Amino acid sequence: MLFDRRQLLAAALAAACAPAALAQAWPAKAIKVIVPFPPGGGTDIIAREVTQTVATATGWTFVIDNRPGAGGNLGVDTTAKSPADGYTLVLGQTSNLAINPSLYAKLPYNPVKDLAPIAMVATAPLAIVVSATSPYKTLADLVSAAKAKPGVVNFASPGNGTVAHLTGDLFQKAAGVRFQHIPYKGANQALNDVIGGQVDMYLSSVTSVLQQIRNGKLRPLAVSSAKRVDDLPQTPTVAEAGYKGFDASTWFGFLAPAGTPKEVVARLNTEFNKALQQPDLRKRLGEEGADPAGGSPEQFAALIRDEIQRWGKVVKDAGTKLD
């Protein structure tokens, strides 16, 4: 009997120490970070900047894996179906976590049930931009052209179901116009086409377009946030351009497959939050048009639930549906 009690005590101690041992042993190999869009876009830039800062501080190795497709659904679904061992993460954002559940009739994953939120890392407003050679100098010019020829003026977005797509729908409703939507599979080709004049207007995160604005290749007409963007101080908000109350932006955050050990999630959350307090990273994100965020897994989970309801109403009101 004494031997059995000792065995039970040893087992109980081992179970109690297991989470701490796991947290200390992890990570024993590289951590894959799935970016559900092509290289070069806002999501990709933020993923690389944040993970590089964490890697420098901890010695961990992160491998970026770009998995574009289906408005970000492919990359998020790949993550949701990966082993819940702390070695696969995704940088999700508003479109694939909050919009797509209402936009797609059959989503292959449930963003609330199939993923474990780690931390929100950044927010970014959207910008309405045209080529630097475009005849449209202001948002009013663009609206006037759209009213004169309904459905002829077109706008590109990084993909169906993205925040840019839905924000474009919101703006059309606010302005009483109709644009032709051209969805792309990410930012790069869309940027090339709007710069080249093949597309009239592009709507995407400030992060994606800021460098081309600085290079003089794009002309910003407005930003979608409630207040002006520090890096584009001369660019009015959509509300300032005459559409009172207009406010839309996107956010980004890291998630893991549901069931990932809580100790691993907590460790990742700690390191991401530490990184987001570093002046160099905050400066780099700011230069890309993004505002550093942070917070707990629980706060990020609550945001996702709230945003699913908010954008679900937008999708319903716009009557937008995708198969």
Side-chain angles (χ1 to χ4, degrees), residues 139-230:
L139 198 58
D141 292 341
L142 193 70
V143 170
S144 295
K147 286 184 175 179
K149 296 180 179 180
V152 174
V153 177
N154 55 43
F155 87 95
S157 78
N160 279 320
T162 58
V163 181
H165 172 197
L166 268 292
T167 299
D169 284 349
L170 276 176
F171 179 68
Q172 290 179 84
K173 184 177 179 181
V177 296
R178 182 165 57 86
F179 299 120
Q180 179 187 356
H181 175 224
I182 303 176
Y184 283 76
K185 293 182 178 179
N188 283 350
Q189 189 57 51
L191 279 171
N192 290 336
D193 285 356
V194 73
I195 289 169
Q198 288 88 0
V199 177
D200 295 315
M201 170 184 70
Y202 182 46
L203 212 161
S204 189
S205 68
V206 171
T207 315
S208 296
V209 299
L210 189 57
Q211 194 57 51
Q212 299 297 349
I213 293 172
R214 288 171 172 161
N215 290 342
K217 295 182 178 180
L218 291 176
R219 176 187 301 135
L221 301 184
V223 293
S224 66
S225 48
K227 62 180 182 178
R228 293 196 183 197
V229 176
D230 290 344

Side-chain angles (χ1 to χ4, degrees), residues 32-226:
K32 179 167 66 176
V33 177
I34 292 178
V35 174
F37 294 101
T43 308
D44 182 70
I45 291 169
I46 290 171
R48 293 176 189 274
E49 292 284 8
V50 176
T51 56
Q52 181 57 52
T53 301
V54 174
T56 300
T58 62
W60 299 350
T61 299
F62 292 93
V63 177
I64 302 296
D65 183 4
N66 295 91
R67 296 283 186 98
N73 292 349
L74 179 61
V76 178
D77 186 46
T78 299
T79 305
K81 292 178 171 56
S82 295
D85 56 8
Y87 291 102
T88 302
L89 312 179
V90 65
L91 185 62
Q93 38 100 290
T94 316
S95 63
N96 42 57
L97 297 177
I99 293 176
N100 290 357
S102 298
L103 191 66
Y104 285 83
K106 293 182 179 179
L107 200 64
Y109 59 90
N110 183 313
V112 174
K113 295 180 180 179
D114 298 338
L115 296 162
I118 298 169
M120 186 169 79
V121 294
T123 61
L126 306 173
I128 297 174
V129 298
V130 296
S131 169
T133 60
S134 170
Y136 308 126
K137 308 294 185 183
T138 66
L139 198 58
D141 292 341
L142 193 70
V143 170
S144 295
K147 286 184 175 179
K149 296 180 179 180
V152 174
V153 177
N154 55 43
F155 87 95
S157 78
N160 279 320
T162 58
V163 181
H165 172 197
L166 268 292
T167 299
D169 284 349
L170 276 176
F171 179 68
Q172 290 179 84
K173 184 177 179 181
V177 296
R178 182 165 57 86
F179 299 120
Q180 179 187 356
H181 175 224
I182 303 176
Y184 283 76
K185 293 182 178 179
N188 283 350
Q189 189 57 51
L191 279 171
N192 290 336
D193 285 356
V194 73
I195 289 169
Q198 288 88 0
V199 177
D200 295 315
M201 170 184 70
Y202 182 46
L203 212 161
S204 189
S205 68
V206 171
T207 315
S208 296
V209 299
L210 189 57
Q211 194 57 51
Q212 299 297 349
I213 293 172
R214 288 171 172 161
N215 290 342
K217 295 182 178 180
L218 291 176
R219 176 187 301 135
L221 301 184
V223 293
S224 66
S225 48

Side-chain angles (χ1 to χ4, degrees), residues 247-265:
D247 183 14
S249 60
T250 188
W251 42 260
F252 308 83
F254 286 104
L255 305 96
T260 297
K262 291 182 178 179
E263 296 74 26
V264 171
V265 170

